Amino acid sequence: MAENIVSGEDVILRTLEQIVGPSNATCKLPDLVAYEKDQNWPFVNPHLPDYVVKAYNKKQVREIVRLASRTKTPLIALASGINVRGLCIPSQGGIILDMRDMNKILDINLEMMTATIQPGVSSAQFSAACRKLGVRPAVTSAPDTASIFANYMLIGLYHTSSSDGNLHVLSMEIILPSGEIIKTGSSGLIGSPGPHARAGGPDLTGLFTGQPGAFGVATEMTVKLYPLEKFNAMVAYGFEEWGPAVEVGQKLMDARVALEVDIIDDNLMRTFLAPIADLKMREQVEKLLPRVLVMTAIGDTVKERMKINKKIAEDVCKEVEGGTKFAAMSAGGLSELTTGGRITVGMLERGYYHCFAFYGPLNMTVEYADLFYNTAEEHGFNARLDSSCLAIPQAPWNGQQTYFEGEVLTVDPTIDEERERILEYSEDVVYKLLDLGIYGWFRPYAETMDLTLERWGTTGEFMKRIKQLIDPDHIMNPGKFIF
Ligand SMILES: Cc1cc2nc3c(=O)[nH]c(=O)nc-3n(C[C@H](O)[C@H](O)[C@H](O)COP(=O)(O)OP(=O)(O)OC[C@H]3O[C@@H](n4cnc5c(N)ncnc54)[C@H](O)[C@@H]3O)c2cc1C
């Protein structure tokens, strides 16, 4: 950044200080270190930013974007930085734009069933504010402290009635690298009473979601809200094999009574048990775990309907042979599925968890599970202890559409040998999954994107052209998507 030093003074730092005040901009090493890596650093090498700046309003954000453009300095927006995919690691240095303090819920509109939020709004904050008013946002299993804004922008996995669909963003306000401000959906139309997702023409909200801050900085977002199900229940059945558990999952989706269906193996279930400090008690509970658990969350605004749906779900579970009713997971599982917020202690017991997340057809679950367990074994992991798998069928009108995760939970990446092993395992799994056939990855993240681009052909080239058009100097979070 030597060209930014004029007469011994760092002009970028000085300008940042002018925009946000001296206490909110820094280039001091102890301040920068906190941003150099996240939990996914074996896949995205740690790298220090040159500057960290805290913004409090969109005027400041706009001036910072303009400064980055003028000086061709990489700019990485950060909403909560909890990311597990290295997406906020400043791989080419530059400015980290920390928006954690832009955390206002600007509006909850009960008439329109929408809310408008800023980037730093956390999942728990949003969920609690909505519930107080008798409505509910789409929530995920992400940690409570994660930015719900960034989650919506990256398109997460939501626990919500299948009739809600899985796209919840109506409109966004985005500051482009040029400094221009655009609004997607009806918010872009002057005088529109909005909010509405459609404004004529192609879906611009779609263009700016599903990408990791590579097209601009989003400052506001309007999302859909849903009626709060006041009455909830959980139906959980354990199986000793994946096959019948998947059959139940399919039948539950076809019956259309569930808010969410989770099919998870015993290894993943163990991660929920970590907070049990008493080892003896933990051992006893572990012995009770079935090999595969089907968890179904039921919820409704009307008690009687909830009860009927619960009965239907239970009957569906009983129809398939080999299942055992499993009540133990109910309280914690129900709370996570209805209000969001995962208990992460167990997942991060060894400081790291490695996860592949992708979409594929439900009827390939057994093949995916075998792929994960076998590849883990081939790379020296213990399939029964280290590797886990889950399937979450998504929406019945999309037939087989299912979200999958394959995890390795016991890696300590600070040990060179283990880190190398997980890197080799990971590359192997990416190619094997692409060969077996998946719909696509859950999110664009470095570990999978580079290898997938080879197969994206003309579509990949077209995306490169869009990126070039919006961000010609490649300053927006470079190295994380396409460039
Ligand atoms: C243990 C664990 C479990 C999880 N489980 C789930 C789950 O079940 N479902 C799910 O959906 N997610 C899950 N997540 C992922 C998590 O929800 C997302 O990472 C989070 O919601 C987004 O917040 P973040 O802190 O990652 O955002 P950040 O890391 O701050 O940002 C993520 C990306 O978005 C970009 N960005 C952020 N804000 C802006 C902005 N205003 N404008 C432009 N670009 C921006 C950043 O540059 C970065 O590339 C889980 C994460 C963990 C750690």
Side-chain angles (χ1 to χ4, degrees):
M1 289 273 140
E3 63 271 27
N4 298 312
I5 310 295
V6 179
S7 311
E9 190 183 38
D10 185 328
V11 285
I12 291 187
L13 182 65
R14 197 190 58 205
T15 315
L16 288 174
E17 285 175 344
Q18 282 166 355
I19 297 170
V20 294
S23 59
N24 291 311
T26 179
C27 67
K28 293 199 182 99
L29 188 61
D31 297 326
L32 305 182
V33 167
Y35 296 86
E36 79 168 340
K37 68 175 178 182
D38 72 5
Q39 188 246 9
N40 220 45
W41 61 268
F43 295 92
V44 181
N45 289 332
H47 199 293
L48 283 171
D50 296 295
Y51 311 91
V52 172
V53 59
K54 275 177 175 274
Y56 294 83
N57 57 56
K58 62 180 139 181
K59 184 169 175 287
Q60 292 173 342
V61 173
R62 191 180 191 197
E63 286 180 42
I64 294 163
V65 172
R66 282 181 157 161
L67 171 69
S69 275
R70 227 171 28 244
T71 55
K72 302 200 180 1
T73 309
L75 183 68
I76 299 96
L78 183 144
S80 70
I82 287 177
N83 205 297
V84 282
R85 304 296 191 183
L87 290 175
C88 283
I89 296 178
S91 303
Q92 298 176 23
I95 304 169
I96 292 269
L97 170 56
D98 186 335
M99 292 186 285
R100 276 180 284 197
D101 289 317
M102 286 176 68
N103 57 3
K104 289 195 188 70
I105 298 170
L106 299 170
D107 179 46
I108 295 184
N109 186 333
L110 295 179
E111 196 185 328
M112 296 298 293
M113 290 297 276
T114 60
T116 302
I117 56 174
Q118 289 188 324
V121 170
S122 75
S123 181
Q125 176 193 357
F126 192 35
S127 198
C130 290
R131 290 175 79 84
K132 263 191 203 160
L133 297 175
V135 287
R136 116 189 112 77
V139 293
T140 76
S141 282
D144 274 342
T145 46
S147 156
I148 192 72
F149 185 107
N151 192 289
Y152 286 139
M153 210 193 71
L154 288 170
I155 310 176
L157 178 73
Y158 303 100
H159 308 157
T160 181
S161 161
S162 43
S163 60
D164 298 343
N166 51 13
L167 293 174
H168 307 285
V169 183
L170 291 167
S171 67
M172 283 162 84
E173 178 182 76
I174 299 131
I175 303 182
L176 298 176
S178 63
E180 290 163 292
I181 300 179
I182 62 159
K183 295 180 179 191
T184 69
S186 68
S187 316
L189 188 64
I190 294 163
S192 163
H196 195 280
R198 298 279 167 255
D203 176 14
L204 287 184
T205 306
L207 180 63
F208 287 92
T209 47
Q211 53 76 35
F215 288 176
V217 180
T219 43
E220 267 179 37
M221 177 183 285
T222 300
V223 298
K224 294 186 210 169
L225 299 176
Y226 303 96
L228 182 66
E229 289 103 2
K230 294 196 189 87
F231 306 99
N232 293 99
M234 172 79 96
V235 175
Y237 267 71
F239 294 85
E240 286 316 308
E241 282 177 55
W242 275 95
V246 173
E247 197 183 330
V248 167
Q250 181 69 65
K251 283 176 186 271
L252 282 167
M253 294 314 284
D254 291 344
R256 300 184 184 212
V257 291
L259 288 185
E260 163 147 335
V261 176
D262 276 28
I263 311 172
I264 66 177
D265 73 7
D266 51 355
N267 237 346
L268 204 55
M269 277 179 255
R270 258 178 222 116
T271 68
F272 295 105
L273 301 178
I276 302 176
D278 181 335
L279 282 182
K280 249 204 168 133
M281 191 201 270
R282 185 176 158 147
E283 267 172 30
Q284 281 167 0
V285 176
E286 281 196 16
K287 274 189 201 144
L288 298 174
L289 297 180
R291 174 62 176 139
V292 187
L293 183 74
V294 184
M295 289 194 289
T296 314
I298 313 283
D300 214 302
T301 48
V302 179
K303 196 172 187 177
E304 286 312 307
R305 210 161 43 202
M306 187 278 285
K307 280 183 171 174
I308 293 167
N309 285 344
K310 185 176 176 220
K311 168 94 176 47
I312 294 173
E314 265 167 346
D315 288 348
V316 163
C317 291
K318 283 183 210 155
E319 260 174 41
V320 176
E321 267 181 43
T324 315
K325 193 168 180 173
F326 193 82
M329 295 295 287
S330 292
L334 184 61
S335 143
E336 178 181 326
L337 295 186
T338 51
T339 62
R342 183 176 289 187
I343 304 164
T344 50
V345 187
M347 299 185 84
L348 306 174
E349 221 171 359
R350 300 269 297 270
Y352 184 76
Y353 91 100
H354 177 275
C355 165
F356 279 109
F358 63 95
Y359 292 103
L362 183 64
N363 61 13
M364 285 178 70
T365 305
V366 177
E367 284 170 88
Y368 292 139
D370 282 348
L371 186 154
F372 283 118
Y373 300 136
N374 293 340
T375 314
E377 203 73 47
E378 283 162 22
H379 287 266
F381 297 105
N382 181 326
R384 290 294 286 115
L385 296 176
D386 302 322
S387 174
S388 73
C389 187
L390 76 80
I392 304 182
Q394 284 287 281
W397 57 88
N398 278 336
Q400 290 282 315
Q401 183 175 302
T402 302
Y403 168 87
F404 290 95
E405 267 181 29
E407 272 140 2
V408 172
L409 299 155
T410 53
V411 181
D412 179 348
T414 60
I415 300 168
D416 289 346
E417 193 195 318
E418 286 200 27
R419 192 172 59 252
E420 275 157 32
R421 203 143 50 101
I422 194 75
L423 285 166
E424 282 164 14
Y425 158 86
S426 161
E427 187 170 335
D428 200 4
V429 170
V430 172
Y431 281 126
K432 280 182 175 164
L433 280 175
L434 289 172
D435 285 344
L436 185 59
I438 61 172
Y439 293 149
W441 303 108
F442 173 51
R443 282 174 181 157
Y445 46 97
E447 188 185 344
T448 55
M449 282 323 275
D450 289 349
L451 305 180
T452 309
L453 257 179
E454 293 167 14
R455 304 195 186 196
W456 239 353
T458 318
T459 310
E461 289 305 316
F462 182 67
M463 279 195 223
K464 280 185 188 173
R465 293 212 297 272
I466 293 175
K467 165 80 173 162
Q468 175 78 33
L469 191 71
I470 298 175
D471 180 23
D473 296 317
H474 305 156
I475 57 157
M476 298 307 305
N477 205 359
K480 300 301 158 35
F481 182 63
I482 306 289
F483 298 104

